[in-house]
Amino acid sequence: MAAPVIAVAAIAQVNITKVDKVRPTDEIFMDMAVTAASQAKAAGLEPSGAVVILNGAWKSTGTPADGLSPEENAIQKAHSTRLAGARIYTVNQPTAQALNAIMRAGAEAVYFVNSSADAVAAGIYPAEAYDTALLDSTLRPVPAYQIPYPPAAAIIK
């Protein structure tokens, strides 16, 4: 299962070391999301991307498509209704709709760089997309962690 991580990471923007190949870091996974966001931006889409990491290995990548957020697209591409223990790395803070999909999938945590305020200011999402009243209260909340990663912050500028 390590081969897909290496193959996807090979197109990423950071240098991959032997240690990263054995135990990929948050930086490697976030760089995969940034690479997806860069590809989306080059295709004329919003600069956002996400990856699903399951059992420490890459599972799928998503960009905005067909009305889906990158997180929803990545979850759909994972071809699994349950992603218990998965971590989602995404360039922008997930919207309420994306968080509902993440919670339904059973993900363990979500990591993002750009806050909702940054995403709204960049015109990626409207402020209403982050309305917490839209969250499904019957689902188990998933912790969301904002982490620093300058290439992800720069992509929406």
Side-chain angles (χ1 to χ4, degrees):
M1 193 69 155
V5 171
I6 295 166
V8 173
I11 63 170
Q13 300 169 4
V14 297
N15 294 324
I16 308 297
T17 67
K18 288 181 182 181
V19 172
D20 291 326
K21 290 178 184 178
V22 176
R23 180 178 241 151
T25 62
D26 287 341
E27 183 178 67
I28 294 296
F29 296 139
M30 188 57 74
D31 196 66
M32 292 173 165
V34 169
T35 298
S38 296
Q39 292 168 346
K41 187 175 183 177
L45 301 171
E46 296 296 343
S48 51
V51 293
V52 174
I53 304 300
L54 186 60
N55 300 323
W58 172 84
K59 180 77 172 160
S60 61
T61 300
T63 58
D66 302 323
L68 297 176
S69 69
E71 301 85 6
E72 292 169 300
N73 190 359
I75 290 167
Q76 189 176 68
K77 287 181 176 179
H79 300 294
S80 178
T81 57
R82 299 295 304 155
L83 294 171
R87 291 178 288 151
I88 311 290
Y89 288 81
T90 184
V91 171
N92 302 307
Q93 184 173 355
T95 63
Q97 179 178 323
L99 275 175
N100 283 333
I102 291 167
M103 291 186 296
R104 272 192 299 280
E108 171 184 296
V110 61
Y111 299 85
F112 66 93
V113 175
N114 300 312
S115 70
S116 59
D118 294 334
V120 169
I124 296 169
Y125 298 114
E128 300 80 38
Y130 291 100
D131 185 351
T132 56
L134 300 174
L135 293 174
D136 186 341
S137 63
T138 66
L139 298 171
R140 179 188 62 81
V142 173
Y145 304 101
Q146 185 172 18
I147 61 175
Y149 190 62
I155 198 162
I156 67 168
K157 302 291 184 219

